[in-house]
Short mmCIF file of all heavy atoms in Angstrom, two decimals:
data_model
loop_
_atom_site.label_atom_id
_atom_site.label_comp_id
_atom_site.label_asym_id
_atom_site.label_seq_id
_atom_site.Cartn_x
_atom_site.Cartn_y
_atom_site.Cartn_z
N GLU A 5 1.01 4.44 -2.72
CA GLU A 5 0.90 5.85 -2.34
C GLU A 5 2.12 6.63 -2.79
O GLU A 5 2.01 7.78 -3.24
CB GLU A 5 0.72 5.96 -0.81
CG GLU A 5 -0.62 5.44 -0.33
CD GLU A 5 -0.71 5.43 1.18
OE1 GLU A 5 0.31 5.76 1.84
OE2 GLU A 5 -1.79 5.10 1.71
N GLN A 19 4.66 21.84 -14.48
CA GLN A 19 3.85 23.06 -14.61
C GLN A 19 4.61 24.28 -14.08
O GLN A 19 4.49 25.38 -14.62
CB GLN A 19 2.53 22.90 -13.86
CG GLN A 19 1.59 21.86 -14.46
CD GLN A 19 0.45 21.49 -13.53
OE1 GLN A 19 0.11 22.24 -12.62
NE2 GLN A 19 -0.14 20.32 -13.75
N LEU A 29 13.47 21.57 -10.54
CA LEU A 29 14.62 20.65 -10.50
C LEU A 29 14.73 19.99 -9.12
O LEU A 29 14.92 18.77 -9.01
CB LEU A 29 15.90 21.41 -10.84
CG LEU A 29 17.22 20.63 -10.74
CD1 LEU A 29 17.21 19.41 -11.65
CD2 LEU A 29 18.40 21.54 -11.07
N LYS A 43 12.19 1.23 -5.87
CA LYS A 43 12.76 0.41 -6.95
C LYS A 43 11.80 0.23 -8.13
O LYS A 43 11.63 -0.86 -8.66
CB LYS A 43 13.20 -0.95 -6.42
CG LYS A 43 14.28 -0.86 -5.35
CD LYS A 43 14.69 -2.22 -4.83
CE LYS A 43 15.76 -2.08 -3.74
NZ LYS A 43 16.16 -3.39 -3.19
N GLY A 63 21.01 25.16 -18.34
CA GLY A 63 22.32 25.16 -18.99
C GLY A 63 23.35 24.24 -18.39
O GLY A 63 24.53 24.34 -18.71
N LEU A 116 10.82 12.60 -32.65
CA LEU A 116 9.62 12.99 -33.38
C LEU A 116 8.91 11.76 -33.96
O LEU A 116 7.67 11.67 -33.92
CB LEU A 116 10.00 13.97 -34.50
CG LEU A 116 8.84 14.50 -35.35
CD1 LEU A 116 7.86 15.30 -34.50
CD2 LEU A 116 9.36 15.34 -36.50
N THR A 137 14.30 25.92 -35.08
CA THR A 137 15.44 26.71 -34.61
C THR A 137 16.73 26.26 -35.27
O THR A 137 17.56 27.08 -35.67
CB THR A 137 15.56 26.58 -33.07
OG1 THR A 137 14.32 26.92 -32.47
CG2 THR A 137 16.64 27.50 -32.54
N LEU A 165 -1.77 26.88 -25.32
CA LEU A 165 -1.41 28.23 -25.77
C LEU A 165 0.08 28.52 -25.62
O LEU A 165 0.67 29.21 -26.44
CB LEU A 165 -2.22 29.26 -24.97
CG LEU A 165 -3.69 29.41 -25.35
CD1 LEU A 165 -4.38 30.34 -24.38
CD2 LEU A 165 -3.83 29.92 -26.77
N GLU A 236 17.09 39.95 -20.57
CA GLU A 236 18.37 39.58 -19.93
C GLU A 236 18.15 39.25 -18.45
O GLU A 236 18.66 38.24 -17.95
CB GLU A 236 19.37 40.72 -20.08
CG GLU A 236 20.71 40.45 -19.40
CD GLU A 236 21.63 41.65 -19.41
OE1 GLU A 236 21.15 42.78 -19.68
OE2 GLU A 236 22.83 41.48 -19.14
N VAL A 257 24.40 44.76 -31.23
CA VAL A 257 23.93 45.32 -32.50
C VAL A 257 23.20 46.64 -32.25
O VAL A 257 23.40 47.63 -32.96
CB VAL A 257 23.01 44.32 -33.23
CG1 VAL A 257 22.37 44.96 -34.46
CG2 VAL A 257 23.78 43.06 -33.63
N PRO A 265 29.67 53.05 -29.27
CA PRO A 265 30.68 51.98 -29.41
C PRO A 265 31.18 51.44 -28.08
O PRO A 265 31.48 50.25 -27.96
CB PRO A 265 31.79 52.66 -30.20
CG PRO A 265 31.59 54.12 -30.01
CD PRO A 265 30.11 54.32 -29.86
N VAL A 271 29.25 44.92 -24.13
CA VAL A 271 28.28 43.82 -24.15
C VAL A 271 28.68 42.73 -25.14
O VAL A 271 28.44 41.53 -24.91
CB VAL A 271 26.86 44.35 -24.45
CG1 VAL A 271 26.68 44.73 -25.90
CG2 VAL A 271 25.80 43.33 -24.03
N ALA A 367 24.86 5.58 -40.71
CA ALA A 367 25.11 6.72 -39.83
C ALA A 367 26.46 7.35 -40.15
O ALA A 367 26.60 8.58 -40.20
CB ALA A 367 25.06 6.29 -38.37
N HIS A 419 43.80 21.15 -47.75
CA HIS A 419 44.14 20.09 -46.79
C HIS A 419 42.96 19.14 -46.62
O HIS A 419 43.14 17.91 -46.58
CB HIS A 419 44.49 20.72 -45.44
CG HIS A 419 44.83 19.73 -44.37
ND1 HIS A 419 45.98 18.97 -44.39
CD2 HIS A 419 44.14 19.34 -43.27
CE1 HIS A 419 46.01 18.17 -43.33
NE2 HIS A 419 44.90 18.38 -42.64
N LEU A 433 41.07 0.95 -52.17
CA LEU A 433 42.20 0.26 -52.80
C LEU A 433 42.86 -0.73 -51.83
O LEU A 433 42.94 -0.48 -50.63
CB LEU A 433 43.24 1.28 -53.27
CG LEU A 433 42.75 2.32 -54.29
CD1 LEU A 433 43.89 3.27 -54.65
CD2 LEU A 433 42.20 1.65 -55.53
N ILE A 468 65.14 3.92 -33.85
CA ILE A 468 64.78 2.72 -34.61
C ILE A 468 66.05 2.16 -35.24
O ILE A 468 66.83 2.90 -35.86
CB ILE A 468 63.76 3.06 -35.73
CG1 ILE A 468 62.49 3.68 -35.13
CG2 ILE A 468 63.41 1.81 -36.53
CD1 ILE A 468 61.50 4.19 -36.16
N SER A 478 53.87 1.45 -48.07
CA SER A 478 54.69 2.62 -47.78
C SER A 478 53.87 3.90 -47.68
O SER A 478 54.03 4.68 -46.72
CB SER A 478 55.74 2.78 -48.89
OG SER A 478 56.50 3.96 -48.67
N ARG A 499 54.83 26.34 -23.30
CA ARG A 499 55.33 26.81 -21.99
C ARG A 499 56.52 25.99 -21.52
O ARG A 499 57.23 26.40 -20.60
CB ARG A 499 54.20 26.74 -20.96
CG ARG A 499 52.99 27.64 -21.26
CD ARG A 499 51.82 27.30 -20.38
NE ARG A 499 51.41 25.91 -20.55
CZ ARG A 499 50.43 25.34 -19.86
NH1 ARG A 499 49.78 26.03 -18.95
NH2 ARG A 499 50.12 24.07 -20.09
N LYS A 500 56.72 24.83 -22.11
CA LYS A 500 57.81 23.96 -21.67
C LYS A 500 59.10 24.34 -22.38
O LYS A 500 59.10 24.62 -23.59
CB LYS A 500 57.46 22.50 -21.93
CG LYS A 500 56.32 22.00 -21.05
CD LYS A 500 55.88 20.59 -21.40
CE LYS A 500 54.71 20.15 -20.52
NZ LYS A 500 54.13 18.87 -20.96
N THR A 519 56.01 3.53 -31.69
CA THR A 519 55.52 4.40 -30.62
C THR A 519 55.99 5.83 -30.86
O THR A 519 57.14 6.07 -31.19
CB THR A 519 56.05 3.94 -29.24
OG1 THR A 519 55.83 2.53 -29.11
CG2 THR A 519 55.35 4.66 -28.12
N HIS A 521 56.11 9.39 -28.81
CA HIS A 521 55.96 10.09 -27.53
C HIS A 521 56.08 11.60 -27.76
O HIS A 521 56.85 12.03 -28.60
CB HIS A 521 57.09 9.71 -26.55
CG HIS A 521 57.24 8.25 -26.30
ND1 HIS A 521 56.72 7.64 -25.18
CD2 HIS A 521 57.85 7.27 -27.01
CE1 HIS A 521 57.03 6.35 -25.21
NE2 HIS A 521 57.71 6.10 -26.31
N GLY A 526 48.68 17.38 -24.28
CA GLY A 526 47.90 16.22 -23.84
C GLY A 526 46.43 16.36 -24.18
O GLY A 526 45.99 17.36 -24.74
N ASP A 530 38.12 13.36 -20.30
CA ASP A 530 36.76 13.01 -20.72
C ASP A 530 36.57 13.09 -22.23
O ASP A 530 35.48 12.83 -22.74
CB ASP A 530 35.72 13.88 -20.00
CG ASP A 530 35.89 15.37 -20.28
OD1 ASP A 530 36.75 15.73 -21.10
OD2 ASP A 530 35.15 16.17 -19.66
N GLU A 558 41.60 4.00 -39.42
CA GLU A 558 41.11 3.23 -40.56
C GLU A 558 42.29 2.59 -41.32
O GLU A 558 42.22 1.43 -41.73
CB GLU A 558 40.32 4.15 -41.50
CG GLU A 558 39.02 4.67 -40.94
CD GLU A 558 37.93 3.61 -40.88
OE1 GLU A 558 37.63 3.04 -41.93
OE2 GLU A 558 37.42 3.35 -39.77
N SER A 577 51.51 12.86 -24.65
CA SER A 577 50.78 11.72 -25.22
C SER A 577 51.76 10.69 -25.75
O SER A 577 52.88 11.02 -26.11
CB SER A 577 49.87 12.18 -26.37
OG SER A 577 48.98 13.17 -25.93
#
Side-chain angles (χ1 to χ4, degrees):
E5 291 174 356
Q19 293 166 21
L29 176 59
K43 298 179 181 179
L116 181 63
T137 306
L165 285 174
E236 178 187 15
V257 173
V271 74
H419 179 70
L433 301 180
I468 302 173
S478 177
R499 297 168 301 178
K500 292 175 182 171
T519 311
H521 305 260
D530 60 5
E558 293 287 303
S577 304

